[in-house]
Amino acid sequence: MAPYQQVTAGPPAARASADVETPALPAALLRPEAFTHTAHNLRLHETHLSWVILAGAYAYKIKKPVNLGFADFSTLARRRAACAAEVRLNQRLCPDVYLGVATITRRGGAAVVVDGEWPGEPVVKMRRLPAAGMLPALLERGLASPQLFQRVARQLAAFHGRAATGPGVDEWGEPAAVRANWLENFSQTAALPESILPAQHRALIAAFVERFLTAEEPLLARRVETGRIRDGHGDLHAANICVEGRRVHLFDCLDFSARYRCGDVAAEVAFLAMDLAHAGRADLGLAFADRYIRATGDEELRRLLAFYECYRAYVRGKVVGMQAAMPALPPAEAARLAAEARAYFDLAWATAGGLDRRTLVVVMGLPASGKTSLARAVAGRFGLIHLSSDVVRKELAGLRRTERRGEDFGAGIYSATMTRRTYTLLRRRAARWLRRGQPVVLDATYGSLAERTLLRQLAAQASARLVALECQADEATLRARLAAREHDPETVSDARLPLWPALRAAYVPPRELAEVWPIDMTRPLAQATDQALGVIWGAPGAHEDMTLVNRAD
């Protein structure tokens, strides 16, 4: 392959021959002199389709010379067409981010990037977006609010309203096409191991899909007739959303395949809702979907949301699972990818009805025992609504999540009155979500008999299955974690080491509950999460170290 060509016209910088093969391009461009602008903080990111070089105020995406079937960039002509398509399609949503197609050529024997389309290797030129504004970073810092997703929903609704529909688009939303996509998914995941996609998951999801496609075929056909099939974004997950000041950018749309980009708008809404659930923020996903429905008047979308969330989670599991099986992958990376794929398949299973929608999980225990970490992990695996006493308490006090008062135990926002208000609001919110058919995980100490009694009443009134998990750790571990919090600006909890004697004395173990499962939180979080998931599945024997503890004994 000869990606560079002799340039016979154009700017002086481009008038040179080139003989570097495409795979060597990233290393050849990691020099400030390779760019016509100031290029500090040069960084390289790689995906299975592209190399992305961050260079100063800009980013450059180079298509890899690969043919993966669904995306063919194996020739220079195909890469040039793909770059042009990426710019054109993304300018629909981000005209000030996607600046055009530039060219990699040679000057003085070295690779350089020049503006404009010339003979040479094409590259997509973009304005670099702020890393701090990327949605995953905002979610990690607790800065993503329902109001943000209301803005995203309005923006997406407006985009869908003007996006192409009709011939060339509609066929990708036909019932037969939806069924074909699922059959392809099942075929392509047939070889995945049980550790990634258990046979029970696969069977339950397949049955759910068949029931839905049979029962809702008229609805799917009506969606085509009423113009709900659009040439959309196609890859709308958290990593492709950035907040920059007052603007929200929905970037990096799926440009290489109309089949995967075009579809029911419900599938696009479901993608982001699923990804937020996977991040442990199903509440934000539902707020986003609710606002989109209000903006468009598309009430039918609610009937499709779980189906397409299951589809999106299954596809993500498939893609990541295939990556985990790639040869010559370092064992640690293969294990990481396998765990991520399993998490997506767990979410698909839960969304398909594998998890009783009237499930109320309670993660209780002493401060610093790992409650929030476990609750967040469980929420992401099953799409549960995560409600935290630390967050609710700060909200009631009008404080930012990470704002600290340094108050003594039992005083200020930790007074008995404030604690009662906090737990009351937790129960009310849990009841509201359960009435909506959304399973919930409560994350709070629940160290008093009175609060646990009210908790059992809540479960009974909601006809919910109550699953109680008690996070446990030895005192040395708890004290070390409390001490470490003093230097963690992102922690929400105000519990700290000087308060330990009072915190320990106030905690009454839940001996009155008939069934409580202890979770050893001194182990790695992944192991503790697996133990908790086994309990929630209703299969304590799934893990040999799992013991059902009858506290009444």
Side-chain angles (χ1 to χ4, degrees), residues 165 222-224 226-230 263-266 296-298 300:
T165 188
R222 186 165 64 250
R223 301 287 290 179
V224 179
T226 55
R228 297 298 186 183
I229 314 303
R230 297 284 167 154
D264 197 309
V265 295
T296 59
D298 186 5
E300 280 186 336

Side-chain angles (χ1 to χ4, degrees), residues 44 93-94 100 109 114 172-173 184 278 311 335 402 442 465 477 514 520 536:
L44 172 66
L93 278 158
C94 303
V114 295
W172 303 116
E184 180 182 72
H278 174 68
Y311 172 76
T402 56
L442 291 173
R465 173 193 175 213
T477 297
D520 181 1
I536 298 168

Side-chain angles (χ1 to χ4, degrees), residues 3-148:
Y4 293 156
Q5 300 176 1
Q6 177 70 35
V7 178
T8 58
R15 295 183 187 137
S17 62
D19 55 8
V20 179
E21 292 292 319
T22 305
L25 288 182
L29 293 175
L30 291 178
R31 320 167 359 259
E33 300 79 16
F35 302 91
T36 59
H37 55 78
T38 301
H40 51 79
N41 296 330
L42 284 162
R43 300 172 69 181
L44 172 66
H45 295 280
E46 183 174 0
T47 72
H48 58 299
L49 291 177
S50 305
W51 293 291
V52 179
I53 295 176
L54 304 180
Y58 301 96
Y60 296 88
K61 181 185 286 188
I62 308 166
K63 304 291 184 185
K64 288 184 175 179
V66 296
N67 181 358
L68 302 182
F70 60 87
D72 184 357
F73 305 147
S74 58
T75 69
L76 181 63
R78 289 182 183 276
R79 294 196 295 278
R80 183 172 288 117
C83 286
E86 179 170 355
V87 171
R88 174 178 58 82
L89 291 166
N90 278 288
Q91 283 184 339
R92 298 176 302 166
L93 278 158
C94 303
D96 63 334
V97 174
Y98 286 78
L99 305 179
V101 178
T103 304
I104 304 171
T105 185
R106 281 197 173 276
R107 179 172 59 191
V112 294
V113 178
V114 295
D115 287 337
E117 298 186 50
W118 305 94
E121 184 66 30
V123 57
V124 174
K125 182 177 181 179
M126 297 168 282
R127 184 169 60 80
R128 187 172 177 177
L129 294 172
M134 295 297 177
L135 184 50
L138 297 177
L139 289 167
E140 181 66 25
R141 305 199 316 272
L143 299 179
S145 66
Q147 291 73 26
L148 168 61

Side-chain angles (χ1 to χ4, degrees), residues 262-304:
C262 300
D264 197 309
V265 295
E268 191 127 285
V269 173
F271 199 163
L272 181 54
M274 178 282 297
D275 203 42
L276 291 168
H278 174 68
R281 294 305 306 268
D283 58 318
L284 295 177
L286 289 166
F288 162 68
D290 285 345
R291 187 64 185 86
Y292 180 93
I293 291 168
R294 286 198 298 273
T296 59
D298 186 5
E299 286 293 334
E300 280 186 336
L301 190 149
R302 296 190 193 280
R303 289 168 57 185
L304 295 159

